[in-house]
Amino acid sequence: MSSNQNIFISDNFLLNSALAETLYNDYAVNQPIIDYHSHLSPFQIATNQRFENISKLWLSEDHYKWRAMRSAGVNEHFITGTATDEEKFHAWAKTVPQTVRNPLFHWTHLELKNSFGITDYLNEETASSIYSKCNELLAGDDHTARRFAEKYNVVYLCSTDDPIDDLGYHHQIIKDPTCTFGVAPSFRPDKAFNIADRVNFISYLQKLSGASGIEITSVDDLLMALENRVDFFGSAGCKISDHGLTHVPVKHAFTTSLEAEFKTFISADGTGVFSNPDAFVFHVLTSLCKMYHKRGWVQQFHLGAIRNNNKRLNAKLGADAGVDSIGDYSQAERLSALLNTLDETDQLTKTIIYNVNPSDNALFASMCGNFNDGTIKAKVQFGAAWWFADQKNGMEQQLDVLSDMCLISTFVGMLTDSRSLLSFSRHEYFRRILCNMFANDMQKGIMPNDQKWIGSIIENICYKNAKEYFNL
């Protein structure tokens, strides 16, 4: 479908030379996708969900798009309100031209092209025809949840799951021989650290007690309950944990007096504020990290975001409403203390650290090198450009710093970190940027013009390093 003569998502999109095109086409484009961090719905994959329309698939949970629409002056009625799905799609279509130079402009058109074969620009004039065409395809058998993953050559993906999840859909997928790619949970215990909010924290402990079968009346009980869930997740193929923290807590000893205080704090008679939340979080976090090491898991740390800034929208819509931003937290000493604590007892597992604040890129990358010990290639990794850095400029900055401070040849590559089944196009986006960077350096004489050798490095970054690192 295209009447537009100015198609810019062409075969050489983001590839600025013949050499870049060769590297991409010969070594990157056909590599399978391992998407080791996403927020995809296991339900959609287990049931091979069909989508009523493109808005349900594309707009209903995408806070990136919501944020852009608000900035473009779109009323909330057409974003998360009660407008019809078609009205919401038209509101997004009207916004898209205003996203030029924002990654959403590229992602939108890559996703339409790769998922539906649509190469027209999305705007007010094309909205109706694109909406109809997408919905027509979604009604068929070739645009279901699993078919999208298969179209993108996904071989393995991870969802992000709370310890209390029963993982029923994951077990359903495991038992289903018709699912052609691997799907596993990842263990995200953030709510177990939220001691600053006593009411919600205690409510969560009650749910965790129910899921684990362990009554939680002490810190030791909490750790036993979490370990019970770690093992339960392992039974569903989990190999990866994840933590979304503003920063690593300050290292403090969790003393016997704090243990007693915690016991009182979570009891029916408990009130007030826990006196040293950092000590609690550090104790639970390091205990979990040791559990991951024992099982050979990979642990991930997403650090630096300041979340839920707009209290009005947060109260109305909940978390992930598109009102988060980059924080300016102190990271180095705290991160060093955590990694040292684990390294000192040889209980530091494979670790990926993601940074949301570009000004901290060199800090994070240089920290990783302190804790590689020669036992595993790139045991501690500086993770892919994340969230607000997940765009062309941010990816190039991350790759440059990774090259300067670490070994780009050992990098485990890209991920989507997305709730949309169409976001696998971000792997293509990354791969094109990667190949263009390598080609530029080869042409400048900064690295040897050895296509076979550089091509093998590109293959490793796109797929093979992740396959080895995650023991797939």
Side-chain angles (χ1 to χ4, degrees):
M1 173 186 178
S2 179
S3 58
N4 195 317
Q5 300 301 310
N6 298 310
I7 300 170
F8 81 103
I9 304 288
S10 59
D11 290 343
N12 63 356
F13 176 60
L14 297 176
L15 304 171
N16 298 329
S17 66
L19 177 57
E21 293 180 44
T22 296
L23 292 177
Y24 177 71
N25 290 313
D26 289 359
Y27 299 101
V29 69
N30 292 320
Q31 294 301 315
I33 287 176
I34 294 173
D35 203 60
Y36 53 89
H37 177 69
S38 81
H39 297 273
L40 293 175
S41 163
F43 164 78
Q44 292 179 351
I45 298 167
T47 60
N48 196 19
Q49 184 174 349
R50 294 174 180 270
F51 297 88
E52 179 183 341
N53 58 58
I54 182 64
S55 294
K56 288 276 198 297
L57 169 64
W58 210 27
L59 305 179
S60 63
E61 294 186 87
D62 193 335
H63 55 83
Y64 287 80
K65 292 185 178 72
W66 298 352
R67 187 179 176 97
M69 293 167 77
R70 291 177 191 133
S71 297
V74 176
N75 187 281
E76 197 70 26
H77 173 70
F78 297 99
I79 304 173
T80 61
T82 57
T84 67
D85 290 338
E86 187 167 2
E87 287 173 333
K88 289 178 179 179
F89 184 83
H90 277 265
W92 170 238
K94 185 177 179 180
T95 302
V96 168
Q98 299 180 67
T99 67
V100 66
R101 298 201 84 240
N102 183 284
L104 282 167
F105 190 78
H106 285 165
W107 293 347
T108 292
H109 292 101
L110 275 171
E111 290 167 7
L112 288 174
K113 178 183 178 183
N114 292 339
S115 304
F116 300 100
I118 293 171
T119 54
D120 282 341
Y121 293 141
L122 179 58
N123 55 36
E124 288 183 90
E125 288 71 34
T126 61
S128 293
S129 61
I130 289 176
Y131 188 75
S132 296
K133 180 62 175 179
C134 289
N135 292 347
E136 178 186 335
L137 291 171
L138 287 170
D141 294 333
D142 203 37
H143 289 76
T144 61
R146 291 187 193 174
R147 285 295 293 132
F148 281 120
E150 291 165 358
K151 281 175 182 289
Y152 285 98
N153 198 17
V154 175
V155 294
Y156 185 85
L157 64 85
C158 289
S159 57
T160 300
D161 307 275
D162 191 281
I164 66 173
D165 197 298
D166 66 7
L167 303 183
Y169 293 116
H170 285 93
H171 285 286
Q172 184 175 330
I173 295 166
I174 291 170
K175 296 174 183 176
D176 185 349
T178 68
C179 189
T180 60
F181 50 91
V183 181
S186 62
F187 187 79
R188 178 86 172 238
D190 291 359
K191 292 179 181 177
F193 303 129
N194 190 26
I195 196 169
D197 183 347
R198 182 176 182 273
V199 173
N200 284 326
F201 179 68
I202 291 175
S203 174
Y204 181 74
L205 293 189
Q206 292 169 347
K207 295 173 184 175
L208 181 59
S209 290
S212 65
I214 296 171
E215 183 180 5
I216 300 173
T217 61
S218 68
V219 169
D220 287 343
D221 292 339
L222 171 58
L223 294 178
M224 283 192 291
L226 287 170
E227 186 157 25
N228 171 279
R229 302 311 290 172
V230 166
D231 286 333
F232 178 72
F233 270 56
S235 72
C238 181
K239 301 173 182 231
I240 303 173
S241 67
D242 185 40
H243 304 84
L245 304 169
T246 54
H247 47 64
V248 172
V250 175
K251 181 178 181 179
H252 290 288
F254 199 71
T255 62
T256 54
S257 62
L258 287 174
E259 290 180 18
E261 181 186 348
F262 179 81
K263 196 166 188 176
T264 301
F265 178 76
I266 63 171
S267 69
D269 298 329
T271 59
V273 177
F274 190 74
S275 65
N276 195 333
D278 268 12
F280 167 78
V281 175
F282 194 89
H283 177 63
V284 174
L285 182 59
T286 52
S287 298
L288 280 167
C289 291
K290 292 173 183 178
M291 296 178 202
Y292 309 149
H293 175 268
K294 181 179 178 181
R295 292 157 178 81
W297 285 14
V298 175
Q299 61 190 7
Q300 301 177 99
F301 296 98
H302 286 84
L303 302 174
I306 179 169
R307 301 173 190 265
N308 304 322
N309 292 269
N310 187 319
K311 301 304 179 186
R312 175 183 56 83
L313 279 176
N314 180 238
K316 179 181 178 182
L317 302 173
D320 304 314
V323 293
D324 308 314
S325 58
I326 295 169
D328 57 351
Y329 304 101
S330 177
Q331 301 284 1
E333 291 185 8
R334 295 172 177 221
L335 183 55
S336 177
L338 173 66
L339 297 177
N340 262 309
T341 297
L342 299 167
D343 185 73
E344 284 172 348
T345 57
D346 195 23
Q347 291 174 292
L348 176 61
T349 196
K350 289 182 282 190
T351 303
I352 306 175
I353 306 169
Y354 304 89
N355 166 47
V356 78
N357 189 335
S359 63
D360 287 338
N361 275 345
L363 182 162
F364 277 71
S366 64
M367 186 64 68
C368 293
N370 297 330
F371 297 95
N372 282 316
D373 55 17
T375 60
I376 299 167
K377 185 170 67 175
K379 177 179 176 179
V380 183
Q381 293 248 348
F382 178 40
W386 170 48
W387 207 341
F388 292 99
D390 184 10
Q391 23 75 10
K392 181 176 180 295
N393 184 50
M395 290 181 193
E396 289 172 344
Q397 289 183 32
Q398 187 268 347
L399 289 168
D400 279 337
V401 172
L402 175 65
S403 301
D404 290 341
M405 305 287 178
C406 308
L407 300 178
I408 193 171
S409 60
T410 63
F411 181 38
V412 293
M414 196 53 185
L415 45 86
T416 60
D417 191 24
S418 173
R419 291 164 175 78
S420 171
L421 286 158
L422 308 190
S423 293
F424 295 117
S425 284
R426 295 184 193 178
H427 286 266
E428 176 185 338
Y429 197 60
F430 167 81
R431 291 174 180 186
R432 287 177 177 273
I433 290 167
L434 177 73
C435 292
N436 196 62
M437 290 183 71
F438 272 96
N440 286 344
D441 283 354
M442 292 164 73
Q443 291 177 321
K444 292 175 183 176
I446 296 174
M447 64 173 63
N449 192 3
D450 184 333
Q451 291 184 25
K452 186 175 180 180
W453 170 42
I454 298 302
S456 69
I457 293 174
I458 289 170
E459 289 177 342
N460 289 341
I461 295 170
C462 292
Y463 170 65
K464 294 178 181 178
N465 285 344
K467 182 180 181 182
E468 178 183 354
Y469 192 76
F470 295 105
N471 295 323
L472 301 181

